[in-house]
Amino acid sequence: MKNIALGRYVPYDSFLHRLDPRTKLLSLIALMIMIFFKFSSTAMNFFIYALLLIFIYVLMRISHIKLKTLFKSLKAMWVMILFLLIINVLMPSTGPYFDIFGFKLYHNAIYNTLYIVIRLVMMIALTMILTTSTKPLDLTYALEWLLHPLKYIKVPVHEISMIISLALRFIPTLLEETERIMKAQSSRGVDFEQGKLKDKIRAIVSLIIPLFISAIQRSEELANAMEARGYDPSGQRTRYRKMQWQMKDALSLVFIVLLFGGMITLLVTSFDFFLMMGFVL
Amino acid sequence: MSVKFENVSFLYLPKTPFEHLALDGIDLEIKDGTFTAIIGHTGSGKSTLVQHINALLRPSKGKVLVGDYVIDAADKKVNKLQELRKYAGLVFQFPEYQLFEETVLKDVAFGPKNFKDSEQVALEKAKKALSLVGIEESLFNKSPFELSGGQKRRVAIAGIIALEPQILVLDEPTAGLDPQGAKEMMSLFKTINERGTTVIMITHDMDNVLKYCDRAVVMKDAKIVKIEQPSELFKDEELLKEISLEEPHIISFAKKLIANGMNLELSEIKDFDSLIAQIEKARSVK
Ligand SMILES: Nc1ncnc2c1ncn2[C@@H]1O[C@H](COP(=O)(O)OP(=O)(O)OP(=O)(O)O)[C@@H](O)[C@H]1O
Ligand SMILES: [Mg+2]
């Protein structure tokens, strides 16, 4: 249960916490796109990744996320990384290779695996930064703002963001509920940690059924409560707390735009200092 | 053989910004065969305390001894955890959320089966427990989700009673029950206690504490502030104010009678019957 607390909003008062959620959402999207850029040479790729990693690390420090927390959430990925490596190694490739007892281990295979791993790490870190520094509700406001233009092509933006914010709102409640039911069933002799497959299935069933029932009950109660207070999804609504652009948002966005622009320039010009310096990896 | 807390502290979510000290240096001994009430304000740590008794929570510091079982903060694992869970049965607050089987009978038999009873024995125990909590046989093959709130509660409690624990821990078992149902449940717990089971109960109902319990453990802000016989505890108005406890209705009533000149022995009053006995005694003296 404890690992799920990862990525949960943590109420510090950092620069990132004070940024407008819209700024953070836009920056996240921009950074996520940058992660997937592929430059003209391997050396260039790793160089840019290193820069991005340093930048992300700085952001993590600012938002009080410990490296340990990040690594903990990566722990579950080892299997996937291994799998990726195997797939990549088995794929026929070209270029230089190590010869291991007649088996050709291409450099490219290793690089490709590394790219994927680095991208995954960066994606997880960025998401973690966003969710630990932004209240879920603020995040949905930002999302609603971002999707706003879609209203004109009849996308039910408000409904979508209401669904998302309700879902986010109930995640902690469901986790609490899960823990409670697990404790109650443990008291009845269920062992959630070990046991044969058959016992494991029984244990899960004894958890899932009460969880579903209470979730369904809860949603029904919520729907009734909303209806009783006259909720109308198509109604015009105002907001108690208005989001306000500030200087720091403008500066942050300018920075991100410059970064993005710089990357694009490097990309389209196939610029490569390593090649210029005669260095080839 | 008893329940013993030795300098137990417990932290929720340690090393996070949400860290919260829910138990702070608890020392407590609960003797076998007693009926103990745990009382105190909401958030004072009562539920946290009782969840240590069957090792659902492990102490951050200190040691809990339950019968022959030891739950030590220093140990990584609790020895014979399953046996301990059978030895000390815990009924959660609003236990009806734990129901999940197809039928009432199966749900109650779920616990004993987990503790390696055969199907046959488990069903026997389930039937016994259900009849103890007052569920009629006609309901045995119904889905637990078709029952009323009060019936669900009884079935859930039966689910723990069927384990035949030596120690029965109850977290606000009567909260939200109708008065009649609450009374029936309380006298059931008393019966179980009289058969030799140690009963430990969290409650906000001071009248029940006075009527049924031999001892009251008062918690405040993660600490135990008082361990006392209920009749003594509720006599001391100063203390009650200090630890912000409500006195039982029956005591307020008796105090009014005393203030109006009736000569009653407050420490003898536990419930209606003893109050009436006291009133009769006072009148006959006159
Ligand atoms: N899972 C949890 N995570 C973090 N903090 C918790 C958790 N459970 C309880 N707490 C905190 O620990 C403190 C004690 O909680 P506990 O549930 O033991 O109180 P209680 O005395 O049983 O209250 P009540 O009478 O309302 O049931 C409370 O301040 C509560 O906020
Ligand atoms: Mg409680």
Side-chain angles (χ1 to χ4, degrees), chain B:
Chain B
M1 297 271 268
S2 56
V3 179
K4 215 166 167 183
F5 283 72
E6 289 177 3
N7 192 23
V8 171
S9 295
F10 182 79
L11 273 174
Y12 276 112
L13 305 169
K15 294 186 204 143
T16 70
F18 307 101
E19 184 173 285
H20 180 90
L21 184 66
L23 293 180
D24 185 3
I26 298 288
D27 280 304
L28 173 67
E29 183 171 1
I30 296 171
K31 292 233 159 61
D32 275 350
T34 53
F35 197 137
T36 304
I38 297 178
I39 54 184
H41 261 256
T42 170
S44 54
K46 306 180 296 293
S47 300
T48 310
L49 180 79
V50 298
Q51 284 173 44
H52 280 77
I53 297 175
N54 71 345
L56 286 175
L57 297 177
R58 314 266 167 86
S60 310
K61 227 178 72 194
K63 209 195 272 187
V64 184
L65 305 157
V66 180
D68 295 328
Y69 308 94
V70 185
I71 310 150
D72 194 326
D75 296 342
K76 265 240 164 87
K77 263 192 140 176
V78 180
N79 249 337
K80 303 186 190 153
L81 184 63
Q82 285 298 90
E83 276 180 45
L84 166 64
R85 297 249 160 99
K86 182 171 159 43
Y87 182 81
L90 189 146
V91 178
F92 264 81
Q93 195 170 2
F94 301 115
E96 45 274 29
Y97 286 116
Q98 75 197 31
L99 302 174
F100 76 99
E101 282 276 18
E102 291 146 52
T103 69
V104 167
L105 192 62
K106 270 191 182 170
D107 199 280
V108 178
F110 176 67
K113 265 197 294 195
N114 283 328
F115 291 113
K116 311 284 178 261
D117 276 338
S118 69
E119 185 86 26
Q120 203 63 40
V121 176
L123 287 177
E124 276 315 306
K125 285 183 176 172
K127 279 180 191 156
K128 222 166 83 186
L130 280 167
S131 76
L132 264 178
V133 298
I135 292 287
E136 294 150 29
E137 214 157 312
S138 60
L139 298 178
F140 282 9
N141 287 317
K142 265 197 166 181
S143 157
F145 302 111
E146 290 169 17
L147 303 182
S148 78
Q151 287 168 330
K152 277 187 199 160
R153 176 75 58 88
R154 284 160 198 258
V155 171
I157 292 175
I160 296 294
I161 289 178
L163 305 179
E164 300 174 350
Q166 291 297 303
I167 300 172
L168 180 62
V169 186
L170 303 146
D171 193 345
E172 299 188 39
T174 60
L177 281 188
D178 65 294
Q180 183 58 35
K183 215 165 136 186
E184 285 171 24
M185 287 324 277
M186 283 308 303
S187 40
L188 167 66
F189 301 143
K190 188 75 197 166
T191 315
I192 290 174
N193 174 241
E194 275 159 3
R195 289 182 192 167
T197 308
T198 313
V199 180
I200 301 168
M201 180 179 70
I202 296 176
T203 182
H204 288 288
D205 185 331
M206 297 305 144
D207 285 275
N208 280 341
V209 176
L210 183 65
K211 182 167 178 186
Y212 296 102
C213 302
D214 338 302
R215 259 190 353 154
V217 175
V218 187
M219 294 200 61
K220 191 181 179 186
D221 299 334
K223 291 194 175 79
I224 291 179
V225 288
K226 194 84 195 165
I227 303 175
E228 182 69 280
Q229 268 182 26
S231 52
E232 291 298 314
L233 180 71
F234 294 123
K235 237 174 35 184
D236 191 343
E237 234 164 289
E238 287 295 302
L239 178 71
L240 286 183
K241 216 172 255 156
E242 194 187 308
I243 53 188
S244 44
L245 271 189
E246 191 90 17
E247 60 186 8
H249 295 116
I250 199 129
I251 292 287
S252 320
F253 184 60
K255 277 182 181 163
K256 285 227 169 82
L257 289 178
I258 293 172
N260 279 309
M262 197 171 266
N263 186 17
L264 305 177
E265 185 51 57
L266 209 51
S267 55
E268 293 294 317
I269 295 169
K270 285 190 166 253
D271 53 6
F272 271 118
D273 292 340
S274 51
L275 175 65
I276 290 166
Q278 279 289 313
I279 292 176
E280 272 174 354
K281 203 169 128 201
R283 288 168 82 183
S284 66
V285 168
K286 224 190 246 171

Side-chain angles (χ1 to χ4, degrees), chain A residues 180-229:
Chain A
R180 232 179 53 161
I181 296 170
M182 276 174 91
K183 278 181 179 172
Q185 305 297 27
S186 303
S187 300
R188 294 212 275 170
V190 175
D191 192 341
F192 284 98
E193 270 147 40
Q194 42 199 337
K196 284 178 288 214
L197 185 66
K198 197 173 134 248
D199 299 331
K200 276 246 167 75
I201 292 173
R202 254 164 88 82
I204 297 291
V205 168
S206 78
L207 171 66
I208 295 283
I209 292 182
L211 201 58
F212 264 106
I213 284 174
S214 88
I216 289 167
Q217 258 170 15
R218 237 179 248 284
S219 59
E220 199 173 312
E221 277 163 21
L222 182 73
N224 285 339
M226 283 168 78
E227 232 161 60
R229 289 187 232 170

Side-chain angles (χ1 to χ4, degrees), chain A residues 14-233:
Chain A
S14 73
F15 175 77
L16 282 175
H17 282 73
R18 287 190 302 263
L19 273 184
D20 191 289
R22 290 172 293 184
T23 311
K24 286 185 268 188
L25 189 63
L26 287 175
S27 309
L28 177 87
I29 294 170
L31 282 165
M32 286 274 194
I33 296 173
M34 286 184 237
I35 287 173
F36 285 92
F37 285 169
K38 203 159 179 187
F39 297 95
S40 44
S41 74
T42 311
M44 196 61 189
N45 277 332
F46 280 119
F47 175 67
I48 297 287
Y49 280 154
L51 284 184
L52 280 175
L53 279 172
I54 292 170
F55 180 56
I56 290 173
Y57 178 67
V58 171
L59 292 181
M60 279 174 66
R61 286 302 294 262
I62 295 176
S63 53
H64 297 259
I65 302 173
K66 295 196 190 75
L67 270 182
K68 213 173 82 187
T69 326
L70 176 65
F71 287 137
K72 246 194 231 161
S73 69
L74 292 174
K75 238 196 311 198
M77 283 182 18
W78 279 122
V79 186
M80 210 164 105
I81 290 173
L82 204 68
F83 185 70
L84 282 172
L85 184 67
I86 292 171
I87 296 258
N88 270 315
V89 165
L90 293 183
M91 288 275 257
S93 183
T94 51
Y97 54 84
F98 300 116
D99 199 328
I100 305 171
F101 305 117
F103 180 79
K104 287 177 186 165
L105 179 58
Y106 290 96
H107 292 184
N108 272 342
I110 300 172
Y111 296 149
N112 281 333
T113 315
L114 272 177
Y115 290 160
I116 298 177
V117 172
I118 294 173
R119 284 175 187 161
L120 268 174
V121 170
M122 290 201 280
M123 270 161 63
I124 290 175
L126 283 172
T127 318
M128 201 180 242
I129 291 166
L130 182 71
T131 52
T132 44
S133 68
T134 318
K135 290 196 191 100
L137 208 57
D138 287 345
L139 207 54
T140 26
Y141 286 159
L143 205 62
E144 189 174 355
W145 171 83
L146 189 69
L147 296 177
H148 190 84
L150 296 181
K151 255 188 196 152
Y152 300 107
I153 54 165
K154 298 248 159 38
V155 176
V157 172
H158 171 73
E159 283 86 337
I160 291 174
S161 62
M162 178 57 106
I163 290 168
I164 296 174
S165 63
L166 285 179
L168 288 174
R169 157 67 187 77
F170 279 101
I171 288 173
T173 314
L174 278 179
L175 287 181
E176 245 168 59
E177 195 87 11
T178 310
E179 191 169 334
R180 232 179 53 161
I181 296 170
M182 276 174 91
K183 278 181 179 172
Q185 305 297 27
S186 303
S187 300
R188 294 212 275 170
V190 175
D191 192 341
F192 284 98
E193 270 147 40
Q194 42 199 337
K196 284 178 288 214
L197 185 66
K198 197 173 134 248
D199 299 331
K200 276 246 167 75
I201 292 173
R202 254 164 88 82
I204 297 291
V205 168
S206 78
L207 171 66
I208 295 283
I209 292 182
L211 201 58
F212 264 106
I213 284 174
S214 88
I216 289 167
Q217 258 170 15
R218 237 179 248 284
S219 59
E220 199 173 312
E221 277 163 21
L222 182 73
N224 285 339
M226 283 168 78
E227 232 161 60
R229 289 187 232 170
Y231 173 75
D232 170 14

Side-chain angles (χ1 to χ4, degrees), chain A residues 218-250:
Chain A
R218 237 179 248 284
S219 59
E220 199 173 312
E221 277 163 21
L222 182 73
N224 285 339
M226 283 168 78
E227 232 161 60
R229 289 187 232 170
Y231 173 75
D232 170 14
S234 61
Q236 193 68 38
R237 62 199 69 242
T238 52
R239 200 154 276 151
Y240 173 60
R241 234 156 48 87
K242 280 227 161 76
M243 292 184 288
Q244 203 105 74
W245 293 112
Q246 283 168 320
M247 200 52 180
K248 50 177 173 278
D249 297 305

